[in-house]
Amino acid sequence: MEFFLQLLVNGVCVGLLYGISAMGFVMIFKSSSVLNFAHGELLALGAFFFLSLVTWAKLPIIVAFILTLIGCFILGFLIERFFLRPLIGEKLIFVIMLTVGLAAMFKGFILLIWGGNLYTYPEFLPEAMGLKFGSIYIAPVYSATLIISVIFLVLFGLFFKKSAQGIYMRSVADNQKAALSLGVHVRRVFALSWAIAALVASMSGIVLGIINGVNVHDLSSIGLKVFPVVILGGLDSIGGAIIGGIIIGVLETFTGGYLSPSLRDVVPYIVLVFILMVKPYGLFGLVEIERV
Amino acid sequence: MRKFSFHPCGNYHENYAQELNIFETDFGRVCLGIFLTLLFFVAPFVVSPYMLYILNTIGIAAIAAIGLNILIGYTGQISLGHGAFFGVGAYAAAIMATRLGVGFYIAIPVAGIITALVGMIIGIPSGRLKGLYLTIATLAGQFIIEYVLIQWDSLTKGTMGITLPAPQIMNWQISGDKAFFFLIFVSLVLMTWFAVNIMRSKYGRAFIAIRDNDRAAEGMGIPIFKYKLLSFGISSFYAGFAGALWAYYMVSITTEPFNLGLSVEYIAMVIIGGMGNIPGAIFGATFITLLNEFLRFLTGVLMNVGAITSLGLNMAPLKEFVFGLVIVLFILIEPKGLAEIWRIIRSSFRLWPFSY
């Protein structure tokens, strides 16, 4: 029973990480229907910016954090301006392959500059944030993750429901032409959504880096783990991403704990195929209606 | 002897059969003949062994790329699983050759058929899904096949790999780059011929109809699920066939190369070559293979430059960066790929001196 509980808690913690990594991905999909294969590399870029600012420039944590967020905001903006904007209205395969190409570029860039080693951040979270229930221990990072994901969930929920920009984004995601004809500045919406998504991605990258250490290969493979998570939750639902993340995380730790450790990494994809066959728009996704 | 036909100065087709002609003029026919003669009777005897190796790699990649082009370029279904299909073909051939001891002339086509079946299973979600959802489903297929290849120890020997016997027909053993050159390029010519012709048949037209609008295609009486599966099957047959050739050529195989990166490389070939264009796939395969070799050469040279090694820079990731950059630039600048550039060059010769 204790083993079960510990696995459950671990699973939820890992799942929260998946969920938080998936949020930036959902952000982009929700506003521009772009499937971003470079998401893992965006996470890694954020994590490495932060790493350099903290260890090389020796800036205080909070300054480094804010600078990273600003840097990634600008980066997302530039990616949209130079790479994605020319492709508005192009075929799906071009958009997908463009993000795949971007992923290779970013990965090569990171490897050129930082190399493929595993780095760690200096400890900076207070030990008091760790939680202990009987024999089950939750590390401070995980409780920080929980807090961050809840904050972001609320913020994004409000942003998409209440703010004008959020509503513009939803309208663009739903139908670009209709949004354009109703006076929505579609290009600005795209630029903003990429900027915000890169910002969220960098933040998730930092959180992941605190827990697992910073390594390009690990972070970019998380970028692929995002797919089962968002499909399960629904591609355009941010809350769904968190719940999907938790479900996938729990499934992973349970198969790792009870069945076999090697099956652990494939289980999300098996689940993915199953969901796609049964409920392709996920648990909380919007069902697309198609007209000829 | 009929008259040698040149390019007409307009569209003078009188029936559909003329429009479906592969060669618009006899000039093209003669050019192809000369090219094939040079390829088979001159190229293998004059180029260096290293160049022959590159040519063989191009030939294998081209077979797989043609197959993927049938699926992506003609049917409009994106598959991120072709790297794994290639692996399935390689392993099927290796297992048949070592366990059952069948000859390569049986093992290679049967490997293709086995891969076609696997591809059709991975293609089943296409009945319900399309666009990016299907892409993600094939991505899952890629990971699941990779897992099976690694974990099914009793069959695939896991990470140990399998060593294949040299292919043998009668008493003649095919080994060495030159012998493989003929095996690979004869297959490539046959496969290209088959692909070009299937696209002129009712199947090809159905694929194109599904690509352009699947709902409308269904409305016109095309059973789209059947044809999508067929397209997955044909396309994975090509991948499996290429994989089997590769396994024989490489002699020993492990599960390592058949990852997502390989799938991406094949899609890059299709896009860079030109989607919906069979010669384009061959151009793309040539381009990507040469690019890979060039980048390997370049990083090798850069590694030995004193100034860079003393800075402690590792130049190997440059390969990945440039690969990504090339894909991005092609998509942004020439999304129709090399085939379009080739068409422009040809038509500017034809229209000379009034080319535009």
Side-chain angles (χ1 to χ4, degrees), chain B:
Chain B
M1 179 87 194
R2 70 199 172 105
K3 248 163 77 185
F4 192 81
S5 73
F6 287 98
H7 224 288
C9 54
N11 190 344
Y12 292 112
H13 295 150
E14 283 167 358
N15 50 36
Y16 286 117
Q18 282 178 351
E19 202 166 275
L20 282 173
N21 268 349
I22 296 175
F23 299 104
E24 234 170 305
T25 60
D26 284 334
F27 184 64
R29 215 171 254 132
V30 170
C31 279
L32 186 75
I34 293 170
F35 175 73
L36 285 180
T37 319
L38 284 177
L39 184 71
F40 281 106
F41 295 106
V42 180
F45 302 104
V46 294
V47 298
S48 64
Y50 175 62
M51 280 304 292
L52 208 53
Y53 160 76
I54 293 182
L55 277 178
N56 287 346
T57 324
I58 289 174
I60 293 172
I63 294 176
I66 290 172
L68 189 57
N69 207 351
I70 292 175
L71 188 66
I72 294 184
Y74 285 102
T75 323
Q77 315 292 310
I78 305 168
S79 162
L80 275 169
H82 261 63
F85 295 158
F86 190 79
V88 170
Y91 266 95
I95 290 162
M96 273 189 282
T98 51
R99 296 281 169 92
L100 306 177
V102 296
F104 77 96
Y105 43 87
I106 299 174
I108 293 179
V110 173
I113 291 167
I114 291 172
T115 317
L117 293 177
V118 174
M120 279 157 121
I121 294 169
I122 300 292
I124 289 175
S126 69
R128 183 135 188 231
L129 309 169
K130 58 196 227 182
L132 50 96
Y133 290 93
L134 181 64
T135 311
I136 298 175
T138 57
L139 177 75
Q142 160 81 33
F143 285 114
I144 293 169
I145 292 176
E146 243 181 90
Y147 173 80
V148 171
L149 285 183
I150 295 172
Q151 297 297 328
W152 198 350
D153 268 344
S154 55
L155 197 64
T156 65
K157 294 193 188 160
T159 44
M160 292 244 299
I162 302 180
T163 307
L164 284 90
Q168 206 165 13
I169 185 162
M170 304 299 192
N171 283 324
W172 182 52
Q173 203 176 39
I174 300 179
S175 64
D177 287 330
K178 205 174 284 176
F180 265 104
F181 176 86
F182 288 104
L183 178 61
I184 290 169
F185 276 83
V186 168
S187 319
L188 174 61
V189 170
L190 284 178
M191 295 298 245
T192 313
W193 176 79
F194 181 68
V196 168
N197 281 304
I198 205 166
M199 284 310 141
R200 301 160 71 207
S201 69
K202 84 170 195 189
Y203 300 100
R205 286 194 295 277
F207 290 161
I208 292 169
I210 290 170
R211 173 193 69 190
D212 290 345
N213 191 332
D214 59 342
R215 295 282 164 111
E218 195 170 22
M220 289 166 71
I222 297 169
I224 54 170
F225 182 49
K226 209 177 99 189
Y227 276 100
K228 279 180 181 173
L229 273 193
L230 185 69
S231 180
F232 263 98
I234 293 174
S235 159
S236 358
F237 176 81
Y238 274 74
F241 195 96
L245 276 175
W246 191 82
Y248 272 111
Y249 186 47
M250 288 290 140
V251 179
S252 108
I253 52 167
T254 57
T255 51
E256 215 167 89
F258 313 121
N259 51 19
L260 186 61
L262 190 65
S263 302
V264 168
E265 221 165 86
Y266 285 133
I267 301 183
M269 286 174 196
V270 171
I271 289 187
I272 288 176
M275 291 202 309
N277 193 315
I278 302 276
I282 301 174
F283 294 153
T286 314
F287 185 86
I288 293 284
T289 315
L290 289 180
L291 180 75
N292 274 340
E293 285 301 318
F294 172 72
L295 288 174
R296 187 181 300 164
F297 169 76
L298 188 72
T299 49
V301 169
L302 284 177
M303 291 282 209
N304 293 324
V305 175
I308 293 173
T309 29
S310 63
L311 275 171
L313 275 176
N314 182 6
M315 277 293 139
L318 192 67
K319 191 178 164 221
E320 195 150 7
F321 181 80
V322 175
F323 179 71
L325 188 68
V326 167
I327 296 179
V328 167
L329 287 181
F330 257 98
I331 292 174
L332 292 180
I333 296 167
E334 187 52 273
K336 283 182 181 164
L338 291 169
E340 179 72 3
I341 295 176
W342 173 235
R343 194 190 66 78
I344 291 169
I345 293 173
R346 266 193 333 186
S347 66
S348 63
F349 269 109
R350 183 160 60 83
L351 301 170
W352 186 87
F354 301 112
S355 50
Y356 48 91

Side-chain angles (χ1 to χ4, degrees), chain A residues 267-285:
Chain A
V267 135
Y269 298 104
I270 297 171
V271 175
L272 170 61
V273 174
F274 182 70
I275 303 159
L276 280 174
M277 294 299 286
V278 179
K279 206 171 179 335
Y281 298 109
L283 296 174
F284 305 99

